[in-house]
Amino acid sequence: MIILGHGIDLVEVSALRRWIEDPRDPLLPRCFTAEELAEIGGGPNRIERLAGRFAAKEAVLKALGTGFGAGVAFKDVVVRRKPGGPPDVVLSGGAALAAKGLGITCWRLSISHAGGMAIASAIALADPAQTDLSSTGPK
């Protein structure tokens, strides 16, 4: 596999909590799909899990080089995790188009939170059989 991009993001959990609780800006329905919210669940660590997922979405878009806006929405990046498995990235819309244009075929994602902070690292990978090694982009 060939690394085509890397993104990292750090989120202050208390800042995300204030943003979520602000009635003027409904972050949860704008940023997370119903499936993501169901998977994140409730409980005392919910805000940390939300912060980690938010950081992961930001890290993915940094790896893509797009950021949010310009045809890429928060919900275009879905972060999910099967029990006992690593987090996974599923793209749609503008994010999927950007990934396809770059030749990205898979992702490696890591999420962690401690000390009131959440961090995520996303690595965008390409299959070398479908990438022209003589240039900086895919075939």
Side-chain angles (χ1 to χ4, degrees):
M1 298 304 276
I2 298 168
I3 296 174
L4 293 180
H6 178 247
I8 190 166
D9 195 65
L10 183 66
V11 173
E12 186 179 359
V13 174
S14 62
L16 187 70
R17 180 186 312 275
R18 285 190 302 274
W19 193 7
I20 288 170
E21 293 172 353
D22 185 345
R24 299 168 297 169
D25 189 10
L27 175 71
L28 293 183
R30 186 166 48 93
C31 184
F32 297 98
T33 66
E35 293 80 16
E36 284 177 298
L37 292 172
E39 185 179 301
I40 289 166
N45 296 325
R46 180 175 189 259
I47 191 68
E48 286 85 2
R49 291 190 302 273
L50 285 166
R53 299 289 178 99
F54 187 84
K57 289 173 180 260
E58 290 274 6
V60 166
L61 293 181
K62 287 176 180 179
L64 283 173
T66 62
F68 291 110
V72 179
F74 280 109
K75 289 184 178 179
D76 286 355
V77 178
V78 172
V79 177
R80 59 186 185 185
R81 184 173 178 265
K82 294 183 177 157
D88 188 28
V89 176
V90 178
L91 302 179
S92 64
L97 290 174
K100 184 177 180 182
L102 292 169
I104 296 169
T105 57
C106 68
W107 293 89
R108 295 295 181 262
L109 182 62
S110 181
I111 304 169
S112 188
H113 39 77
M117 303 297 285
I119 190 167
S121 172
I123 299 174
L125 300 167
D127 181 343
Q130 297 184 18
T131 303
D132 182 354
L133 299 175
S134 66
S135 71
T136 58
K139 284 184 185 176

